[in-house]
Amino acid sequence: EELDNFFAFLQCQLRKQTELRVGQEVPLKSQAAKDMWKRFDDWVVPNTKTDKWVPFHTALGAHELFALTDIHSTKFGWDDRQRLTALFIFRAHCRPSVFRDTQLPHMQTKEFWADPCKHFSEKGKIMKHMLDYRRSGNSMQTIAFRCIPKRLCDDADANLVINICNRTCTLIDIANRVIDKIQEYKRKKTSSTQLFNDISTTIRQGKGMGDTWVK
């Protein structure tokens, strides 16, 4: 019975995923899934209105789908290192609007890629853009970030933006070291297990990074 309920739950997950991402309604096959659907739908709908919903295929989650469509599949002429760096910049806050409105315009310039982290410094163009965006009443990061920002200044808006920018610089450094590991892996043809372990270790070495970031 427990196994039947589990497979019924997965059918409901697939139906909801198809409904939200494809715009089609897939009929449920098993009676157990049909009996479960109303309860499942009532339970999951509140989360589908936020970025907390996790679909059956996680690549179709809010953050993952944005990464696929707006970063990995971009037409900005970015190379592998730049795409990974852009992905890590997004992961510092996981807000598509922040990425598109305050960061992407700068990331399409040669000046940015000459020294990405400089743009996130206290006098950097992106930090200034982000602060203006915040002071206009906009949210700066996903609700998944539950940590209280470290107090770096008295201005609450500036404090939040500085914390995000500091985290971004940490992730930019990690992105560069990770792509170096990947390139080394290709040259030496080491095992994928070794590459995964090396990347995991590299991420954990970043300030404030841990197992959650490795995932």
Side-chain angles (χ1 to χ4, degrees), residues 47-172:
N47 279 339
T48 64
K49 297 176 182 178
T50 72
D51 54 8
K52 293 176 67 176
W53 176 59
V54 180
F56 180 85
H57 294 99
T58 54
L60 297 178
H63 306 154
E64 292 77 11
L65 187 60
F66 179 81
L68 287 170
T69 58
D70 288 59
I71 298 176
H72 287 298
S73 303
T74 56
K75 299 179 180 178
F76 303 128
W78 291 342
D79 59 25
D80 290 343
R81 185 179 296 273
Q82 290 168 330
R83 277 196 297 272
L84 187 64
T85 300
L87 174 63
F88 277 41
I89 288 171
F90 169 66
R91 284 297 186 184
H93 51 76
C94 289
R95 291 288 295 184
S97 56
V98 172
F99 185 84
R100 288 196 190 105
D101 296 342
T102 73
Q103 298 174 334
L104 186 57
H106 302 277
M107 295 168 64
Q108 295 179 65
T109 67
K110 290 183 179 180
E111 179 189 359
F112 173 83
W113 292 108
D115 187 357
C117 202
K118 183 180 76 171
H119 291 259
F120 292 92
S121 66
E122 289 198 39
K123 295 183 179 180
K125 293 180 180 180
I126 291 183
M127 181 180 283
K128 183 180 183 303
H129 201 158
M130 290 173 67
L131 185 54
D132 291 341
Y133 187 79
R134 173 61 178 173
R135 285 180 172 154
S136 296
N138 296 294
S139 177
M140 294 304 299
Q141 58 186 12
T142 175
I143 57 175
F145 285 100
R146 296 185 177 276
C147 58
I148 298 174
K150 183 179 180 180
R151 179 56 63 182
L152 301 173
C153 66
D154 293 333
D155 185 319
D157 289 334
N159 188 69
L160 175 60
V161 170
I162 292 170
N163 271 275
I164 294 172
C165 287
N166 288 349
R167 183 162 63 232
T168 301
C169 284
T170 296
L171 288 169
I172 288 173

Side-chain angles (χ1 to χ4, degrees), residues 21-33:
R21 293 293 184 251
V22 184
Q24 297 179 4
E25 186 173 305
V26 177
L28 297 167
K29 295 294 184 181
S30 74
Q31 188 59 48

